[in-house]
């Protein structure tokens, strides 16, 4: 669950964030505002593994990679750690030292946890899309939905049955109801 009130007492920087302890919590910045999220619950992690497994063949065929917990950074004051991304495989070697110079994800995904909905649907959504992420999904295990935004001006759509997108030139359709049945069991 994200902290209920973000730390707005000061404007944090990515340089400061890099010195935070590895304490099992996720620390993210949106325009200098610090967001702290505790360790995810099992449904969160199973959701990501099942989605990554479904996305991987399509992404790989398009020369893309599916990553868990990659970074998206913009400027000196925004550093996000999406639950899952689909992005181009960097051709630069050695790999860049920071997330600033990595290719922007074509798709960024967040799985809702208790208390994270406001951040994921609002503050973080706007930050991802402003940073150049192509498409943003919010997965809601409790409601068994996938919310989708394409571009900063998109009002978003809610998908309960199926969602179709293009990944690396290939069409990908996800049976949303079947996906949630795999993750959470039959609908009640």
């Amino acid at each position: 669950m994200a902290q209920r009130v973000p730390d707005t007492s000061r404007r944090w920087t990515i340089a400061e964030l890099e010195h935070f302890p590895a304490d099992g919590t996720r620390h993210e910045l949106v325009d200098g505002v610090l967001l702290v999220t505790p360790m995810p619950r099992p449904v969160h992690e199973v959701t990501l593994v099942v989605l990554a497994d479904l996305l991987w063949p399509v992404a790989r065929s398009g020369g893309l990679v599916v990553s868990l917990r990659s970074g998206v950074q913009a400027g000196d004051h925004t550093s996000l750690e999406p639950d899952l991304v689909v992005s181009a495989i960097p051709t630069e070697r050695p790999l860049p030292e920071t997330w600033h110079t990595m290719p922007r994800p074509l798709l960024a995904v967040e799985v809702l946890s208790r208390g994270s909905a406001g951040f994921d649907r609002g503050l973080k959504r706007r930050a991802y899309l402003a940073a150049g992420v192509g498409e943003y999904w919010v997965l809601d295990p409790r409601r068994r939905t996938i919310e989708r935004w394409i571009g900063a001006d998109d009002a978003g759509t809610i998908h309960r049955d199926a969602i179709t997108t293009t990944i690396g030139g290939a069409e990908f359709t996800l049976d949303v109801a079947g996906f949630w049945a795999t993750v959470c069991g039959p609908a009640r």
Side-chain angles (χ1 to χ4, degrees), residues 22-73:
D23 60 3
T25 60
R26 180 185 300 184
H27 299 89
E28 298 175 289
L29 297 177
V30 176
D31 197 28
V33 175
L34 178 64
L35 305 177
V36 180
T37 309
M39 182 181 298
R41 293 181 176 202
V43 69
H44 184 278
E45 298 304 281
V46 171
T47 299
L48 292 174
V49 170
V50 172
L51 182 60
D53 189 50
L54 294 169
L55 285 168
W56 182 250
V58 176
R60 189 68 180 152
S61 71
L64 305 172
V65 66
V66 177
S67 306
L68 302 177
R69 314 268 190 284
S70 295
V72 174
Q73 293 180 334

Side-chain angles (χ1 to χ4, degrees), residues 13-15 17-18 26-33 35 65 67-88 97-110 123-137:
T13 67
I14 292 172
L17 186 69
E18 291 173 353
R26 180 185 300 184
H27 299 89
E28 298 175 289
L29 297 177
V30 176
D31 197 28
V33 175
L35 305 177
V65 66
S67 306
L68 302 177
R69 314 268 190 284
S70 295
V72 174
Q73 293 180 334
D76 293 331
H77 298 279
T78 297
S79 181
L80 297 165
E81 189 179 320
D83 291 327
L84 180 147
V85 298
V86 176
S87 58
E97 291 290 320
T98 70
W99 292 107
H100 275 100
T101 55
M102 292 293 283
R104 286 290 183 243
L106 303 171
L107 171 66
V109 176
E110 294 283 3
L123 194 65
K124 290 171 74 173
R125 173 187 53 86
R126 289 187 299 273
Y128 282 126
L129 297 171
V133 170
E135 190 169 328
Y136 178 59
W137 293 4

Side-chain angles (χ1 to χ4, degrees), residues 139-153:
L139 280 64
D140 186 339
R142 192 173 59 77
R143 292 190 175 136
R144 295 178 176 235
T145 59
I146 297 176
E147 299 166 39
R148 172 189 184 182
W149 291 268
I150 302 172
D153 296 329

